[in-house]
Every structure is written in C-alpha cells, then in structure tokens.
Amino acid sequence: MSPFRLTRTLNDDTLDAALRHDVLHGLGSTPKTLPPKWLYDARGSELFEMITCLPEYYPTRDERELLRTHAPGIAAEAGARTLIELGSGSSEKTQHLLDALPDLHTYVPVDVSDSALDQAGRALARERPRLAVHALVADFTRTLDLPDTPGPRLLVFLGGTIGNLTPAERAEFLTSVRSLLGPGDAFLLGMDLVKDASVLVAAYDDAAGVTAEFNKNLLAVLNRELGADFVPDAFAHVARWNPADEWIEMRLRSLTRQTVKIPSLGLTVDFADGEELRTEVSAKFRRPGIARELHQAGLQMDRWWTTDTSSYGIALARPLP
C-alpha cells in the first residue's frame, strides 16, 4: 500500500476565528456580504455534489470532458512527478490527470475539509499503491507551506473556483501561486467562460431548487456555529448576471423587515424588506483577460484548451523568468 499522510495546518479554533471575523466584517458592511467558503459544510458539500449533476449545471460536465480528452496532452506538457491540487474535495476531478501522468510520484490534495481529505486520500492510497499521497488541510487563499516533493510539479486549480475570487483576490492568489512554482513547474487552471446570460443564470438557479437550498444552508451554518437565529424561509435565493463585472452573483434576499441576533458575537443585524446579502460571486472569463491576469502575476499562458462550444476553458501556465 502506498504511504498516506495527512498534515493539518488548520484546526477548529482557526476556522472558528476566521468565521467570526468574516461574519463581523461582512454583516457589518454595506452592502452585506459573506465569502462563499462558508457554504461548504458537510450538508453544503453534499448539496453542491447534487448541483453538479443537475441538467442546468454544465461546468462540471464540460471540465470533466476536457480533462478526459486532453489529460494525455496536459501530462506530456507538464511531465510532473508531483501533482498538487488546490480545493481538491473528493479528488474526483483529477482522476484523468492521475491516470495520464506515468512518472507521478506524489499527489498533494489541499482542502479545508479534514474529513474529505482523509476519505479521498485513503481511497487513493488503496487504489494506487505506487502513489504517495500527502494530504494537506489548509486554506489555499492563505500562504501555503507545501511538503518537500520531487519535481517537476503541476499545481492544479479546477472546478472554476477561481471565479469565486474578486479581481483583487485573484491577483493576490495568482501571485501566491507563482511563489510556489520553481523552474520546470506548471499551473493548470480551469475556468468558466462568458456566455449567454440565460444559460449562466439557469446554472445557478435550477428548476429543482437545489441551488436555493445550498445558498440558504449558509444561514444554517451561522445558526449552528455562532448561535444565530436566522430563519432560512425568511430569505429568498437570488441569482443574477452582473454584466459590468462579468460574474454571477448569488444573494439571499430578506422577505421582510427583520432583526437577526448572533449572541456569540454580541451582534444584532437588521435587514430591511428586500435587502440582499451577497453570498457568492462566480466570475466568467475570456481568454485574453485571464492571460493578462496570469502575466501580471508572473505566469505565462503556454497552452489553452476549450470545449467545442467555447463554454469552458483550461489554461496551462508556467512561471516567467
């Protein structure tokens, strides 16, 4: 059996402090916002997996097909001996890459979910006895201390998660990615592309209401973790296309004038009737724009793959000298 290690750089106290900070800052701001990472507790992760199977939600299918088709070419370009995946979750996205890299020595999945990493990492260790798996419980939006592994290394960030970052956050994130890469290393990035607004909105407001339940689950997280008294049914799920910023915004709209108490923070939050809390942005990209953002962070786009309909793209980038 291949060696399996799990290293924790986050603990419950760290996560609790981060949640408290984000709630104090986000609910005390105008307009109100919260970062999307708090959508993904165990129930939220389960709901998101359901979303990826919905007919309206094309990104997961498109990315999977791109990886299935182009994994051999990506592997040949990268020649990686270490594969590092940010936001790995179940590690399902990377199976085609793992299959295609003949000289792969180590896989480093990185995620904030301890349980997901442990389950996925142990499964991979059983299935791939020649592969060393070193799982890392960490927040990829912060400075990462990666294990010492053989190069070349391929760092991957899939699922279109780059879209959940604002332009300023993307610039900081891509700069941190550049700092992790040495000569011969590469960065593989998956991203959703700009398309008809009706297609985009439907993907985030499905007919079955699964995305609405996913969005409202954030309120259940705040109730459970901070003792808040949100009533999820007093909020409506909203998904809209913002053409100026070219992103989808997910929001929760208060259906009445109400006051929410969060005792553990000593916080009282007033919502006007119709006031909205933004819970996620999901930016959509164009090739010239993402190439420019990569270059500004010290990365050069070397290869680009897209679907036949130009609905989803994957870029391979390398560090600039």
Side-chain angles (χ1 to χ4, degrees):
M1 181 177 293
S2 67
F4 169 72
R5 293 181 59 192
L6 189 145
T7 300
R8 296 174 176 86
T9 64
L10 291 177
N11 54 41
D12 291 342
D13 289 342
T14 304
L15 289 171
D16 181 66
L19 176 61
R20 288 168 175 267
H21 171 272
D22 288 346
V23 171
L24 281 168
H25 176 76
L27 295 188
S29 300
T30 303
K32 296 178 174 67
T33 65
L34 285 173
K37 64 183 177 182
W38 304 116
L39 291 162
Y40 295 90
D41 67 341
R43 177 56 179 163
S45 297
E46 178 184 353
L47 287 166
F48 183 72
E49 289 300 317
M50 293 169 61
I51 289 169
T52 65
C53 299
L54 294 169
E56 298 97 331
Y57 196 80
Y58 60 86
T60 300
R61 292 190 298 274
D62 284 358
E63 185 178 72
R64 185 182 295 119
E65 181 60 23
L66 277 175
L67 290 173
R68 186 189 68 79
T69 303
H70 297 292
I74 294 168
E77 290 280 342
R81 298 198 66 218
T82 294
L83 177 64
I84 302 163
E85 182 179 8
L86 305 182
S88 58
S90 65
S91 296
E92 188 274 336
K93 298 185 294 290
T94 47
Q95 294 295 332
H96 294 300
L97 290 174
L98 293 172
D99 290 338
L101 288 161
D103 298 320
L104 192 65
H105 177 277
T106 304
Y107 173 53
V108 183
V110 181
D111 204 280
V112 296
S113 173
D114 190 315
S115 58
L117 281 175
D118 188 66
Q119 182 177 351
R122 292 185 185 280
L124 279 171
R126 290 192 300 269
E127 296 163 5
R128 301 173 185 269
R130 299 178 60 184
L131 181 68
V133 180
H134 189 153
L136 185 62
V137 182
D139 183 347
F140 62 75
T141 64
R142 301 182 179 184
T143 302
L144 287 177
D145 185 12
L146 294 173
D148 185 18
T149 58
R153 299 185 301 174
L154 175 63
L155 192 152
V156 304
F157 191 41
L158 300 172
T161 310
I162 186 73
N164 294 149
L165 306 178
T166 65
E169 291 168 339
R170 288 201 302 270
E172 183 177 356
F173 168 75
L174 292 172
T175 300
S176 72
V177 166
R178 171 61 184 90
S179 72
L180 296 172
L181 302 178
D185 294 344
F187 175 49
L188 188 71
L189 176 65
M191 73 216 79
D192 198 7
L193 304 181
V194 174
K195 59 185 65 65
D196 187 88
S198 64
V199 176
L200 290 166
V201 171
Y204 293 83
D205 194 12
D206 60 277
V210 182
T211 310
E213 184 179 352
F214 171 68
N215 198 10
K216 290 184 183 184
N217 184 64
L218 175 63
L219 305 180
V221 171
L222 301 185
N223 288 348
R224 181 184 66 245
E225 300 297 331
L226 299 176
D229 62 357
F230 281 98
V231 178
D233 287 344
F235 291 83
H237 167 67
V238 176
R240 68 165 63 98
W241 172 243
N242 181 330
D245 293 312
E246 294 194 322
W247 63 36
I248 286 284
E249 296 183 0
M250 284 206 327
R251 296 170 174 262
L252 290 169
R253 178 185 295 152
S254 178
L255 297 176
T256 185
R257 183 177 179 180
Q258 56 182 306
T259 298
V260 176
K261 296 179 181 179
I262 308 178
S264 66
L265 297 178
L267 186 64
T268 298
V269 184
D270 293 322
F271 285 87
D273 186 5
E275 184 178 359
E276 294 179 348
L277 162 64
R278 194 180 76 186
T279 56
E280 180 178 285
V281 300
S282 184
K284 309 305 172 185
F285 297 90
R286 302 176 190 268
R287 180 178 178 175
I290 194 63
R292 182 172 58 253
E293 290 189 41
L294 288 166
H295 193 271
Q296 289 169 347
L299 295 160
Q300 176 69 47
M301 184 191 292
D302 274 1
R303 294 292 306 274
W304 171 262
W305 297 270
T306 188
T307 57
D308 292 340
T309 57
S310 297
S311 115
Y312 198 91
I314 292 179
L316 184 73
R318 296 186 185 277
L320 287 167

